[in-house]
Amino acid sequence: MRRALALAVEQGLGRDAAILHNNLAFATWEHEGPAAALALCGEGIELCERRGIAGIAVVVAAMRLTFLAAGGRSEDALADALPLAERAQTAGDAASLIEIHSVQLGLVGKRGGGAQAAAAAQLGATARETGEPQMMAQAFAAAAQLMLADGHNEQAKALLEELERTSGNRDDTYYAAHLSELVRCALALGNPALASRLIAGVEPRTPLQQHALAASRAALAEAAGDHTTAAVAYAEAAMRWRQFGDVPELAYALLGQEHCLVALGTPGADGPLSEARELFTAMGYAPALDETDAMLQRAAAPTS
């Protein structure tokens, strides 16, 4: 793909080169993580702007938001989302709009924004109409999380169950990217069976799929009360996400590891939590930050 891109650029095939930039960034994300993919997006957008290929520039820029969020750059993603949504709306690019709104609403949920159930329902409905598994994976993950945060548990459960029943999504990259989040939502609903079904059929073909499965299985082990297994699994997941560069998932893996270490009564178990707190603070993830602060306060409290 890199060779084809170089040839397209050499031969002045601007549109072909722009599409190849998009495809290469996407493939790079699966294997090397969001930081490497971001760099390629920047190159692709610059090429599109030089050649006047506005439509593909919007597609690449929408995907770039996903990589910004995965890299922990919440503020940058949110700042870019609104003007980009206006461009996508003007261009009639429904797929890019779904990605933009999925990133935007997903971050709002993670950062503690409330009263978004109507927007979440609309996002889910719009994605459903496309019939595209990757659109549904992005939108349903964001919508379910927002509904859960707003206390609409039944609606969140319905979205997760619908996504679990949707055929053709287990090999999708966006499904893998949101898998750990989907599992956390199902477990927050007290439904480990649904969480298990969400990971069933996902094959560890790419690093992204491998890391998501590792994190999801750690969460399932914790939910089952096997804190010893889960602590080890979370530590492995944290190592994987750190190397891959997915900052939110690293923070959640560290938080999960801390849960298990505390449950096991491990002395000096606040190391992962301190790092998780730094990451959640930088990303503005208020609910997760509140949880980490509460755990740190409990750890610091004198024992009788």
Side-chain angles (χ1 to χ4, degrees), residues 53-78:
I53 312 171
I56 299 176
V58 170
V59 173
V60 179
M63 185 171 61
R64 180 176 177 273
L65 294 183
T66 293
F67 303 152
L68 283 171
R73 295 171 58 182
S74 305
E75 295 286 352
D76 291 339
L78 288 171

Short mmCIF file of all heavy atoms in Angstrom, two decimals, residues 53-78:
data_model
loop_
_atom_site.label_atom_id
_atom_site.label_comp_id
_atom_site.label_asym_id
_atom_site.label_seq_id
_atom_site.Cartn_x
_atom_site.Cartn_y
_atom_site.Cartn_z
N ILE A 53 -9.27 18.33 -3.17
CA ILE A 53 -10.13 17.15 -3.07
C ILE A 53 -10.86 17.23 -1.74
O ILE A 53 -10.54 16.53 -0.76
CB ILE A 53 -9.29 15.85 -3.17
CG1 ILE A 53 -8.32 15.94 -4.35
CG2 ILE A 53 -10.19 14.63 -3.33
CD1 ILE A 53 -7.31 14.82 -4.40
N ALA A 54 -11.87 18.09 -1.68
CA ALA A 54 -12.52 18.41 -0.41
C ALA A 54 -13.25 17.22 0.20
O ALA A 54 -13.25 17.03 1.41
CB ALA A 54 -13.49 19.57 -0.62
N GLY A 55 -13.90 16.42 -0.64
CA GLY A 55 -14.69 15.31 -0.12
C GLY A 55 -13.87 14.31 0.65
O GLY A 55 -14.25 13.90 1.76
N ILE A 56 -12.74 13.91 0.10
CA ILE A 56 -11.90 12.93 0.78
C ILE A 56 -11.23 13.56 1.99
O ILE A 56 -10.99 12.89 3.00
CB ILE A 56 -10.86 12.33 -0.19
CG1 ILE A 56 -11.58 11.62 -1.33
CG2 ILE A 56 -9.94 11.34 0.53
CD1 ILE A 56 -10.66 11.08 -2.40
N ALA A 57 -10.95 14.85 1.93
CA ALA A 57 -10.37 15.54 3.09
C ALA A 57 -11.28 15.42 4.31
O ALA A 57 -10.81 15.22 5.43
CB ALA A 57 -10.11 17.00 2.76
N VAL A 58 -12.58 15.52 4.11
CA VAL A 58 -13.53 15.39 5.22
C VAL A 58 -13.50 13.98 5.77
O VAL A 58 -13.53 13.78 7.00
CB VAL A 58 -14.96 15.77 4.75
CG1 VAL A 58 -15.98 15.41 5.82
CG2 VAL A 58 -15.03 17.25 4.43
N VAL A 59 -13.44 12.99 4.90
CA VAL A 59 -13.39 11.59 5.34
C VAL A 59 -12.16 11.34 6.20
O VAL A 59 -12.24 10.74 7.28
CB VAL A 59 -13.39 10.64 4.12
CG1 VAL A 59 -13.17 9.19 4.57
CG2 VAL A 59 -14.70 10.76 3.36
N VAL A 60 -11.02 11.80 5.73
CA VAL A 60 -9.77 11.60 6.48
C VAL A 60 -9.80 12.37 7.80
O VAL A 60 -9.38 11.87 8.84
CB VAL A 60 -8.55 12.03 5.64
CG1 VAL A 60 -7.27 11.85 6.44
CG2 VAL A 60 -8.47 11.21 4.35
N ALA A 61 -10.33 13.59 7.77
CA ALA A 61 -10.39 14.40 8.98
C ALA A 61 -11.33 13.79 10.01
O ALA A 61 -11.08 13.88 11.22
CB ALA A 61 -10.84 15.82 8.63
N ALA A 62 -12.43 13.17 9.56
CA ALA A 62 -13.35 12.51 10.49
C ALA A 62 -12.66 11.32 11.16
O ALA A 62 -12.78 11.13 12.38
CB ALA A 62 -14.60 12.05 9.75
N MET A 63 -11.93 10.55 10.39
CA MET A 63 -11.20 9.43 10.96
C MET A 63 -10.12 9.93 11.92
O MET A 63 -9.85 9.30 12.94
CB MET A 63 -10.57 8.60 9.83
CG MET A 63 -9.87 7.33 10.30
SD MET A 63 -9.39 6.27 8.90
CE MET A 63 -8.27 7.35 8.01
N ARG A 64 -9.54 11.07 11.60
CA ARG A 64 -8.52 11.66 12.47
C ARG A 64 -9.07 11.93 13.87
O ARG A 64 -8.35 11.80 14.86
CB ARG A 64 -7.99 12.95 11.83
CG ARG A 64 -6.92 13.66 12.64
CD ARG A 64 -6.40 14.88 11.89
NE ARG A 64 -5.42 15.61 12.70
CZ ARG A 64 -5.72 16.55 13.57
NH1 ARG A 64 -7.00 16.91 13.75
NH2 ARG A 64 -4.78 17.15 14.27
N LEU A 65 -10.34 12.31 13.97
CA LEU A 65 -10.95 12.52 15.29
C LEU A 65 -10.90 11.25 16.13
O LEU A 65 -10.65 11.30 17.34
CB LEU A 65 -12.40 12.98 15.15
CG LEU A 65 -12.68 14.33 14.51
CD1 LEU A 65 -14.17 14.61 14.55
CD2 LEU A 65 -11.91 15.44 15.20
N THR A 66 -11.16 10.13 15.50
CA THR A 66 -11.09 8.84 16.20
C THR A 66 -9.69 8.62 16.76
O THR A 66 -9.52 8.18 17.91
CB THR A 66 -11.48 7.69 15.26
OG1 THR A 66 -12.87 7.81 14.93
CG2 THR A 66 -11.24 6.33 15.90
N PHE A 67 -8.69 8.94 15.98
CA PHE A 67 -7.31 8.73 16.41
C PHE A 67 -6.91 9.74 17.50
O PHE A 67 -6.16 9.40 18.41
CB PHE A 67 -6.35 8.83 15.22
CG PHE A 67 -6.67 7.88 14.10
CD1 PHE A 67 -6.34 8.18 12.80
CD2 PHE A 67 -7.32 6.67 14.34
CE1 PHE A 67 -6.62 7.31 11.75
CE2 PHE A 67 -7.61 5.80 13.31
CZ PHE A 67 -7.26 6.11 12.01
N LEU A 68 -7.40 10.96 17.39
CA LEU A 68 -7.14 11.94 18.45
C LEU A 68 -7.71 11.45 19.78
O LEU A 68 -7.04 11.53 20.82
CB LEU A 68 -7.76 13.29 18.09
CG LEU A 68 -7.03 14.14 17.04
CD1 LEU A 68 -7.90 15.34 16.66
CD2 LEU A 68 -5.68 14.61 17.56
N ALA A 69 -8.94 10.98 19.75
CA ALA A 69 -9.57 10.49 20.98
C ALA A 69 -8.82 9.29 21.54
O ALA A 69 -8.58 9.19 22.75
CB ALA A 69 -11.02 10.14 20.72
N ALA A 70 -8.41 8.37 20.66
CA ALA A 70 -7.68 7.19 21.11
C ALA A 70 -6.30 7.56 21.66
O ALA A 70 -5.76 6.86 22.52
CB ALA A 70 -7.52 6.19 19.96
N GLY A 71 -5.75 8.65 21.18
CA GLY A 71 -4.46 9.12 21.69
C GLY A 71 -4.56 9.96 22.94
O GLY A 71 -3.56 10.48 23.42
N GLY A 72 -5.78 10.09 23.48
CA GLY A 72 -5.97 10.85 24.71
C GLY A 72 -6.11 12.34 24.51
O GLY A 72 -6.17 13.09 25.48
N ARG A 73 -6.23 12.79 23.29
CA ARG A 73 -6.30 14.23 22.99
C ARG A 73 -7.76 14.66 22.89
O ARG A 73 -8.24 15.06 21.83
CB ARG A 73 -5.51 14.53 21.73
CG ARG A 73 -4.01 14.28 21.90
CD ARG A 73 -3.24 14.36 20.60
NE ARG A 73 -3.40 15.65 19.93
CZ ARG A 73 -2.85 15.94 18.75
NH1 ARG A 73 -2.09 15.02 18.14
NH2 ARG A 73 -3.04 17.12 18.20
N SER A 74 -8.46 14.59 24.00
CA SER A 74 -9.89 14.86 24.02
C SER A 74 -10.21 16.28 23.58
O SER A 74 -11.13 16.52 22.78
CB SER A 74 -10.45 14.64 25.43
OG SER A 74 -10.17 13.35 25.89
N GLU A 75 -9.48 17.24 24.14
CA GLU A 75 -9.76 18.64 23.83
C GLU A 75 -9.59 18.92 22.34
O GLU A 75 -10.41 19.63 21.73
CB GLU A 75 -8.85 19.55 24.65
CG GLU A 75 -9.07 19.50 26.15
CD GLU A 75 -10.35 20.20 26.58
OE1 GLU A 75 -10.98 20.85 25.72
OE2 GLU A 75 -10.71 20.08 27.76
N ASP A 76 -8.55 18.39 21.74
CA ASP A 76 -8.32 18.61 20.32
C ASP A 76 -9.44 17.99 19.49
O ASP A 76 -9.91 18.60 18.52
CB ASP A 76 -6.97 18.00 19.90
CG ASP A 76 -5.79 18.75 20.48
OD1 ASP A 76 -5.96 19.94 20.85
OD2 ASP A 76 -4.70 18.16 20.56
N ALA A 77 -9.85 16.78 19.86
CA ALA A 77 -10.92 16.12 19.11
C ALA A 77 -12.23 16.89 19.20
O ALA A 77 -12.92 17.09 18.19
CB ALA A 77 -11.11 14.69 19.64
N LEU A 78 -12.57 17.37 20.39
CA LEU A 78 -13.81 18.12 20.56
C LEU A 78 -13.75 19.47 19.84
O LEU A 78 -14.75 19.92 19.26
CB LEU A 78 -14.10 18.32 22.04
CG LEU A 78 -14.55 17.06 22.80
CD1 LEU A 78 -14.58 17.33 24.30
CD2 LEU A 78 -15.91 16.58 22.30
#
